[in-house]
Amino acid sequence: MNLDEARTLANVNERAQRLFEDGYRIRSLDGNLHLIRSEHGATYTLDRAEKSCTCPFYAKHGGRYSCKHVLGWRKLHMAQRVEIARRAARWEAVGQAVTIEQVMQSASRVLQRQLEVPLCLS
């Protein structure tokens, strides 16, 4: 590995840690397949079992290096769930939600608008 490759990989690792903050959202299709939507609307399919992605970076490097989506999917998934819980707690605190189901549906609608795809909360 040369210096340019090492810099590229360091950049990818850094970007993987801030997917949620950068506006990325994730939707589970099944146990291993997920859709990841970028802040600009591009959607990529991530296969956790194969550790592969349909993004340009992964295609360019032929799977030799992992992309930020493969490296950061778990943190993105957890950050998204924390955001749902945070919104639910805030809505409950001000008495806007009667049941936890209504709170989760409200949070799901907000994130679904951002994703423009159905959100799986499991």
Side-chain angles (χ1 to χ4, degrees), residues 2-20:
N2 65 36
L3 184 58
D4 286 337
E5 288 175 315
R7 285 181 181 146
T8 298
L9 294 179
N11 183 40
V12 168
N13 282 315
E14 178 190 334
R15 293 174 66 200
Q17 297 306 308
R18 61 173 206 261
L19 290 175
F20 185 78

Side-chain angles (χ1 to χ4, degrees), residues 14-80:
E14 178 190 334
R15 293 174 66 200
Q17 297 306 308
R18 61 173 206 261
L19 290 175
F20 185 78
E21 293 82 2
D22 288 347
Y24 284 76
R25 298 299 179 260
I26 190 167
R27 175 186 167 225
S28 297
L29 298 176
D30 69 20
N32 289 317
L33 291 178
H34 304 277
L35 292 180
I36 296 184
R37 183 176 168 86
S38 77
E39 72 273 27
H40 301 294
T43 302
Y44 308 113
T45 302
L46 168 72
D47 185 333
R48 291 185 314 153
E50 299 293 323
K51 295 186 179 177
S52 65
C53 185
T54 59
C55 73
F57 181 91
Y58 191 88
K60 176 182 177 183
H61 296 285
R64 182 175 172 207
Y65 303 121
S66 293
C67 65
K68 65 184 177 182
H69 311 109
V70 170
L71 295 172
W73 77 266
R74 184 180 309 266
K75 184 173 181 182
L76 172 60
H77 180 73
M78 292 307 296
Q80 190 168 292

Side-chain angles (χ1 to χ4, degrees), residues 87-97:
R87 288 176 189 241
R90 188 178 69 223
W91 290 335
E92 279 188 319
V94 296
Q96 292 180 343

